[in-house]
């Protein structure tokens, strides 16, 4: 299961960077067809949406999960303010709580010039299932002013 999504993240109208999401892995996904399932992921950010649709038959509900981006964006702002450049530095930890879908504690780190969060999300409204995401906030390249 691989799905890539990319969008520009803005805070108060200021472009903070490009948001990239990679769906890495799914585990313990429910079986909705005869012996297996054809899972896909829909990624939404505002009014943007990317997904891989089941082409052969009606879609089967396999759960949903939500990831709050505020901790990732706050960590990126902190890195920007403090000018953190130490490779692998943990900027923030996010813990599972009743009101989020985290299956395990997640760290937000500075890796290869990007603010990155590896996260396992527990699927809701379904018997079982988790998905692993890699969420990155990549700094946009500087653009020279138009003359």
């Amino acid at each position: 299961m691989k799905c890539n999504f990319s969008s520009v993240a803005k805070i108060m109208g200021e472009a903070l960077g490009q948001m990239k999401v990679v769906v890495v892995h799914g585990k313990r996904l429910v079986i909705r067809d005869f012996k297996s399932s054809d899972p896909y992921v829909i990624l939404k950010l505002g009014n943007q949406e990317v997904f891989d649709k089941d082409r052969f038959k009606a879609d089967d509900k396999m759960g949903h999960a939500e990831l709050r981006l505020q901790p990732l964006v706050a960590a990126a702002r902190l890195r920007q303010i403090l000018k953190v450049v130490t490779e692998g530095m943990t900027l923030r930890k996010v813990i599972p709580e009743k009101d989020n879908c985290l299956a395990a504690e997640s760290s937000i780190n500075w890796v290869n010039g990007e603010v990155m969060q590896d996260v396992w999300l527990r699927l809701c409204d379904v018997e079982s299932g988790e998905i692993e995401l890699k969420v990155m906030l990549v700094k946009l390249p500087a653009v020279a002013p138009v003359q």
Side-chain angles (χ1 to χ4, degrees), residues 38-91:
D38 182 20
Y40 66 91
V41 175
I42 298 173
L43 299 170
K44 295 181 182 182
L45 178 62
N47 61 358
Q48 299 179 57
E49 185 174 292
V50 173
F51 62 96
D52 172 25
K53 196 149 179 66
D54 193 335
R55 293 182 215 136
F56 302 108
K57 60 184 187 61
D59 295 336
D60 299 312
K61 185 76 171 168
M62 295 185 68
H64 69 274
E66 185 174 305
L67 175 63
R68 292 196 189 113
L69 297 176
Q70 190 277 334
L72 181 75
V73 171
R77 288 295 257 190
L78 176 66
R79 189 215 58 83
Q80 199 174 47
I81 291 167
L82 298 178
K83 308 288 186 213
V84 174
V85 293
T86 306
E87 180 66 23
M89 180 176 189
T90 298
L91 301 169

